[in-house]
Amino acid sequence: LETYFPHELADHYKIATTGRLSAIDHPEIERYTRYCYREIFRQCPDLDGLYFNFESAPDAAEHVLATAVPELNQLARKPILVFRLWGFRKPEGMRRIMRAYRGRVILGHKIADTNDTYYLPVADSRVREWKKLLGKKTEWMFLVGPCHNCGTNLCDQLWGDYAFVQEILADARAKGADSISFHTVNEFFAPDADAAAPPAKRKIATRPK
């Protein structure tokens, strides 16, 4: 989830935009966003959680505190909130969100963040700094794969190397990872040829114990 809103809303209330319909402070946008959170869980009551991306609204702690937190705190079953920290640079803002929300919060960080590190089996070390600021009990998820690193063009090579994968995951755990979110380039850019095969011919690759 981000702070996007429709053109019709901007036109109706004459909200000036810069072309991208996000990261704009306006009471009608907050009202609309709160409505969206209510409607999501009215239509999908079994939904377990939501994933927040601050890429189009950097450091949007105030927006989350004014919209998502009060609406989701009213639900009988509190959804899990996963906050991806790309674009979020203010630990105090995240601390306020975590204190205000009465449900479970997971913070997500890219396992490799810049193009000079993606080919190394080393997890980004800034998670340790976040842990110092937010507390050791903060739950952390490392994000692995395209869109969560800069090695999309080399994904098949990087993640096809068993030793590489094991080493970078071990380093992530050593730096405080509680969970790992995997993405692969094939899921985004290639047809799923295996899904088209007859069921009897489908194979699941496994590694011997």
Side-chain angles (χ1 to χ4, degrees):
L1 297 175
E2 295 179 331
T3 63
Y4 291 125
F5 53 92
H7 280 281
E8 290 81 359
L9 184 71
D11 293 342
H12 181 74
Y13 291 103
K14 296 181 172 54
I15 299 172
T17 72
T18 57
R20 197 167 195 178
L21 299 171
S22 62
I24 293 175
D25 184 19
H26 192 283
E28 289 300 329
I29 293 174
E30 288 189 1
R31 179 195 61 76
Y32 168 78
T33 304
R34 291 184 65 152
Y35 157 78
C36 288
Y37 287 121
R38 291 196 302 273
E39 191 64 12
I40 286 172
F41 287 93
R42 185 188 71 81
Q43 294 188 29
C44 305
D46 295 329
L47 189 64
D48 291 328
L50 296 175
Y51 182 97
F52 288 76
N53 182 346
F54 296 96
E55 191 168 342
S56 294
D59 303 316
E62 297 303 325
H63 180 78
V64 174
L65 286 164
T67 58
V69 170
E71 290 298 331
L72 302 183
N73 271 342
Q74 294 182 45
L75 298 177
R77 184 172 64 90
K78 308 295 185 291
I80 301 168
L81 303 187
V82 178
F83 294 108
R84 176 184 168 192
L85 293 177
W86 179 261
F88 204 101
R89 301 152 296 183
K90 296 181 178 179
E92 180 55 36
M94 185 55 65
R95 185 183 294 111
R96 291 174 59 206
I97 292 173
M98 294 169 66
R99 286 175 177 172
Y101 184 55
R102 295 196 288 271
R104 180 182 174 190
V105 172
I106 301 174
L107 301 187
H109 198 290
K110 293 183 178 183
I111 202 165
D113 200 28
T114 60
N115 62 3
D116 58 344
T117 62
Y118 67 79
Y119 55 87
L120 300 174
V122 178
D124 197 293
S125 62
R126 283 174 289 183
V127 163
R128 286 175 171 169
E129 300 304 315
W130 278 91
K131 276 183 169 286
K132 290 178 184 177
L133 294 168
L134 299 180
K136 293 182 179 180
K137 294 183 178 180
T138 303
E139 189 171 355
W140 286 91
M141 175 190 293
F142 265 112
L143 313 173
V144 181
C147 185
H148 298 321
N149 66 37
C150 301
T152 302
N153 59 320
L154 296 177
C155 189
D156 283 338
Q157 296 174 33
L158 296 179
W159 309 118
D161 184 330
Y162 183 81
F164 176 92
V165 172
Q166 292 302 309
E167 189 170 349
I168 197 170
L169 294 183
D171 190 57
R173 290 192 64 184
K175 287 173 178 168
D178 297 293
S179 60
I180 306 289
S181 172
F182 288 99
H183 299 259
T184 71
V185 67
N186 292 327
E187 291 174 354
F188 291 136
F189 301 118
D192 189 351
D194 186 57
K201 295 183 179 181
R202 294 181 187 177
K203 295 181 180 180
I204 298 176
T206 59
R207 184 175 178 83
K209 295 183 179 179

